[in-house]
Amino acid sequence: QVQLVEAGGGLVQAGGSLRLSCIASGRTFSSSYAMGWFRQAPGKEREFVAAIRSGDSTYYADSVKGRFTISRDNTKNTAYLQMNSLKSEDTAVYYCAAGYFIYGEYRPTARSWGYWGQGTQVTVSS
């Protein structure tokens, strides 16, 4: 099995920054998995934020391009999401995911993202 644990969420003012981390563990976790971040605001569907493949190719939602940066450290089985210039509309629960990330599939499907963390709350006050 694979476990993903997120950390780093919190309350921040608009324009501020936060850094989320996601630590993966479990004997079946593979560094070949892509790692990604999704978010879900109240009353809305879970949406793609960013992803990074094992070869370090990165993908971003248009709404966060230029403000968020995803990275990973395979020696620590950890992915990061640096969030700058935060806006009130970034407020959501942020989830870490791991899986094969089928190219072009940005929905939170099981075949692309087989493993999920419990989520961490990010609140941006205006």
Side-chain angles (χ1 to χ4, degrees):
Q1 268 292 11
V2 173
Q3 294 80 42
L4 302 176
V5 178
E6 303 100 334
L11 173 65
V12 64
Q13 288 189 332
S17 299
L18 280 176
R19 188 193 195 204
L20 305 183
S21 62
C22 172
I23 301 175
S25 62
R27 64 183 184 90
T28 57
F29 178 78
S30 170
S31 60
S32 66
Y33 286 154
M35 297 188 76
W37 291 93
F38 289 75
R39 66 187 181 188
Q40 188 166 18
K44 295 188 176 181
E45 294 186 349
R46 190 170 298 189
E47 65 174 4
F48 173 82
V49 175
I52 184 167
R53 295 193 183 279
S54 60
D56 290 338
S57 296
T58 56
Y59 308 81
Y60 295 95
D62 288 343
S63 59
V64 306
K65 279 181 183 176
R67 300 188 298 123
F68 291 10
T69 302
I70 189 171
S71 60
R72 65 190 292 168
D73 183 341
N74 289 333
T75 65
K76 298 180 180 179
N77 285 347
T78 301
Y80 304 95
L81 185 68
Q82 178 67 43
M83 306 186 293
N84 299 329
S85 302
L86 283 161
K87 306 175 181 179
S88 57
E89 51 263 44
D90 295 318
T91 295
V93 177
Y94 282 71
Y95 296 91
C96 176
Y100 293 108
F101 185 28
I102 296 172
Y103 183 76
E105 185 169 82
Y106 295 96
R107 296 173 298 153
T109 60
R111 65 175 187 170
S112 273
W113 304 102
Y115 305 101
W116 292 87
Q118 80 289 350
T120 185
Q121 177 70 47
V122 171
T123 303
V124 183
S125 63
S126 57

